Amino acid sequence: ILNVEQSPQSLHVQEGDSTNFTCSFPSSNFYALHWYRWETAKSPEALFVMTLNGDEKKKGRISATLNTKEGYSYLYIKGSQPEDSATYLCAFCRAANDMRFGAGTRLTVKP
Amino acid sequence: SQTIHQWPATLVQPVGSPLSLECTVEGTSNPNLYWYRQAAGRGLQLLFYSVGIGQISSEVPQNLSASRPQDRQFILSSKKLLLSDSGFYLCAWGDQIMYITEAFFGQGTRLTVV
């Protein structure tokens, strides 16, 4: 069984707060770690694809780090806005074509 | 540009009835294709993936099956639906070197088995 764990399961923050989530994955057979944002009534959209230990990626107010040796990735959102409300999914690629998702972190940003 | 089409968007089917969900991709060739399911309150579970025509990998033993009759067509089927098959089904595609590029998802199908 391949376990990709995300925490917390849900998160409620006030507008302007900074927040972060965790994705844990097996440290063996690592190919890549993806982060997706999934808004209600839409399709999941990619935020980051990370392949190297120590990778840090940033897109606007959102950034992510990767530690493949210990099997975790953090997603950070600085100054949360209501439009950031969504479910954030991480996906672990253990082979070139095999992508497994965690259960996601549901973020709600209150105005 | 590449696009992915998935239909129908919603479906209500009685227990024991057959199922066929279709997914097609345009604007790319030889994609990896995936079927995921999100059960209520849970994440995306990988059901099947395919790296080429007729090549299907099944992840979870169940009464669902998948087929890839053409390069850019992926079909999810069942001969007899169970109540537990209810959920949100997503089709996705990615490049053959999947792990270094993002996946692209269809709009999803909300299946309710009654």
Side-chain angles (χ1 to χ4, degrees):
Chain A
I1 296 177
L2 185 70
N3 289 324
V4 182
E5 305 287 344
Q6 288 189 249
S7 62
Q9 184 176 11
S10 64
L11 195 57
H12 292 75
V13 302
Q14 290 294 134
E15 181 176 355
D17 289 349
S18 294
T19 186
N20 65 84
F21 329 131
T22 303
C23 174
S24 301
F25 51 87
S27 55
S28 59
N29 298 322
F30 177 86
Y31 272 67
L33 193 286
H34 296 203
W35 281 101
Y36 292 83
R37 176 166 64 196
W38 193 4
E39 296 179 66
T40 303
K42 295 185 177 180
S43 305
E45 293 184 344
L47 290 172
F48 304 112
V49 176
M50 308 172 78
T51 57
L52 297 175
N53 183 45
D55 256 355
E56 292 187 25
K57 299 221 172 176
K58 186 176 181 181
K59 183 182 294 186
R61 294 179 290 100
I62 304 176
S63 60
T65 61
L66 177 67
N67 184 322
T68 61
K69 294 184 178 180
E70 298 183 34
Y72 64 84
S73 176
Y74 294 138
L75 186 78
Y76 301 92
I77 302 179
K78 184 178 179 181
S80 303
Q81 299 296 309
E83 57 265 32
D84 295 329
S85 296
T87 296
Y88 290 83
L89 298 167
C90 71
F92 168 65
C93 297
R94 65 172 183 174
N97 306 309
D98 190 328
M99 188 168 69
R100 310 298 175 105
F101 283 84
T105 293
R106 182 181 295 275
L107 174 66
T108 304
V109 183
K110 301 175 184 177
Chain B
S1 63
Q2 303 92 346
T3 56
I4 178 169
H5 303 280
Q6 183 182 343
W7 68 92
T10 60
L11 193 59
V12 180
Q13 292 284 98
V15 168
S17 64
L19 172 74
S20 181
L21 303 181
E22 188 162 344
C23 174
T24 59
V25 181
E26 297 177 357
T28 188
S29 59
N30 201 25
N32 292 329
L33 295 171
Y34 302 80
W35 278 111
Y36 291 91
R37 176 174 64 195
Q38 182 191 37
R42 302 178 68 180
L44 292 178
Q45 178 187 35
L46 179 64
L47 301 176
F48 301 95
Y49 72 91
S50 172
V51 300
I53 296 174
Q55 301 178 61
I56 308 294
S57 295
S58 173
E59 293 302 313
V60 182
Q62 57 204 326
N63 69 322
L64 298 172
S65 62
S67 62
R68 184 170 178 174
Q70 300 181 46
D71 180 46
R72 289 168 288 178
Q73 184 185 30
F74 205 24
I75 298 172
L76 183 69
S77 304
S78 174
K79 292 182 179 178
K80 290 184 178 182
L81 283 169
L82 306 173
L83 288 174
S84 57
D85 291 323
S86 293
F88 189 70
Y89 290 80
L90 274 170
C91 177
W93 77 271
D95 284 334
Q96 280 294 311
I97 40 174
M98 177 70 183
Y99 66 101
I100 61 172
T101 59
E102 64 197 86
F104 298 91
F105 289 84
Q107 292 294 314
T109 297
R110 173 77 57 193
L111 171 66
T112 304
V113 182
V114 296

